Amino acid sequence: MAAAPEQDLEQDEILIVKVEEDFCWEEEPSLEVEDPSPETFRQLFRLFCYQEVAGPREALSRLWELCCRWLRPELRTKEQILELLVLEQFLMVLPGEIQARVREQQPESGEEAVVLVEGLQQEPRKQRQRVRWGAF
Amino acid sequence: MAEEPEVILIPPSGLPPESLDEDTVEDLENTPQRNPPNPATSRQRFRKFCYEDAAGPRDVLRHLQELAGQWLRPDIHTKEQIVEMLVQEQFQAVLPEELRAQAQRCQPGVRITG
């Protein structure tokens, strides 16, 4: 940012101030600024509101775009795509506190999530009592 | 002035869609297993599977993997078809109530090409 000149100006002089070009306006959130995690894209897909677009065709198109940003079919195999879906569903069916603690660890696969849950199961009883475990 | 039908808007929950049909899990379990379940039934089984129905987290994962495979059939569907099934599911879930009923009566799938 150009500093204010301190010299006195003659009456007819025009002060030309060079404005540096490396200033930044506050950037609006954009999906292209950083590389959001798959979880971010998953939430965008699941939280999409029908009212955001003009009609059903636009809704379908937008959902397709969001789904592809989450699942990246151009990069992943069918098995990997199903793994992400299974992981999503697995996390959703976990009991409340267990679910929260496992989500904090951001598992990237169903196997990883299972290991986290099993780890919580093996915690000392005092710690586990904090966690409601309906079935066990 | 003609009255417009009331549209009930339900905000999305951020969760995968629950079953949109009224069959209970018991009804699904009592269905004879002679024929492979149709995609709608398979999808319901996947989405309605409960943690308590399995013997532990690993068993839950195995069941979900099996049910997801029965629904999405990666053995016969392409990746594009699988994505389309997921998009259709979410589309049905976010439609306003009155449009959802109409959409379910129509031919499935509004294909967006290109």
Side-chain angles (χ1 to χ4, degrees):
Chain A
M1 192 171 208
E6 294 180 353
Q7 66 272 26
D8 293 332
L9 297 176
E10 296 296 327
Q11 189 173 0
D12 296 327
E13 282 187 350
I14 299 173
L15 176 64
I16 298 174
V17 176
K18 179 183 177 184
V19 178
E20 299 296 335
E21 295 181 348
D22 59 350
F23 69 88
C24 291
W25 297 107
E26 185 175 356
E27 291 181 335
E28 293 181 357
S30 166
L31 291 175
E32 280 71 34
V33 173
E34 297 178 354
D35 188 18
S37 66
E39 172 60 14
T40 300
F41 284 123
R42 187 195 69 80
Q43 291 187 28
L44 287 171
F45 175 63
R46 295 299 185 197
L47 288 171
F48 170 80
C49 284
Y50 185 82
Q51 293 72 35
E52 291 179 19
V53 294
R57 192 170 292 276
E58 291 79 7
L60 207 57
S61 179
R62 180 65 175 151
L63 282 170
W64 181 273
E65 177 192 344
L66 292 172
C67 191
C68 287
R69 287 193 178 196
W70 169 34
L71 296 176
R72 304 297 299 277
E74 76 279 9
L75 296 178
R76 293 195 169 103
T77 64
K78 283 186 278 187
E79 289 69 27
Q80 290 170 327
I81 289 172
L82 259 70
E83 181 71 12
L84 287 176
L85 290 169
V86 168
L87 172 61
E88 179 190 46
Q89 193 67 22
F90 179 83
L91 292 176
M92 200 191 76
V93 303
L94 289 176
E97 291 193 41
I98 290 277
Q99 181 179 145
R101 294 181 68 181
V102 171
R103 283 188 187 277
E104 282 176 7
Q105 303 302 316
Q106 299 182 330
E108 296 184 354
S109 70
E111 178 63 30
E112 200 175 320
V114 165
V115 170
L116 290 170
V117 173
E118 290 176 335
L120 289 171
Q121 278 183 280
Q122 291 168 8
E123 280 184 350
R125 184 170 293 278
K126 280 190 179 178
Q127 281 179 268
R128 205 186 334 150
Q129 280 174 349
R130 294 192 297 113
V131 177
R132 296 189 181 279
W133 195 266
F136 300 92
Chain B
M1 182 185 295
E3 288 185 2
E4 301 219 345
E6 182 182 2
V7 176
I8 300 171
L9 303 178
I10 302 172
S13 63
L15 300 174
E18 295 176 359
S19 171
L20 299 174
D21 298 328
E22 295 182 357
D23 289 342
T24 64
V25 174
E26 290 72 24
D27 291 338
L28 299 174
E29 291 176 349
N30 291 333
T31 302
Q33 297 296 314
R34 295 191 194 92
N35 300 319
N38 62 45
T41 304
S42 298
R43 189 190 70 81
Q44 289 182 52
R45 288 199 172 117
F46 176 67
R47 293 300 184 196
K48 285 193 167 183
F49 183 81
C50 293
Y51 195 89
E52 293 74 22
D53 291 342
R58 196 163 294 278
D59 199 38
V60 171
L61 183 68
R62 185 182 60 78
H63 271 92
L64 288 175
Q65 288 169 335
E66 183 181 326
L67 293 171
Q70 288 178 2
W71 170 31
L72 296 171
R73 298 296 305 276
D75 53 325
I76 60 172
H77 290 141
T78 63
K79 277 189 279 187
E80 185 183 66
Q81 288 171 320
I82 289 173
V83 170
E84 183 161 346
M85 293 169 74
L86 296 169
V87 169
Q88 284 293 334
E89 181 194 38
Q90 191 66 22
F91 178 71
Q92 290 284 328
V94 303
L95 276 180
E97 192 67 33
E98 59 165 23
L99 296 180
R100 185 184 303 168
Q102 293 177 13
Q104 287 181 339
R105 286 195 294 269
C106 294
Q107 289 293 331
V110 177
R111 296 185 67 91
I112 304 295
T113 59

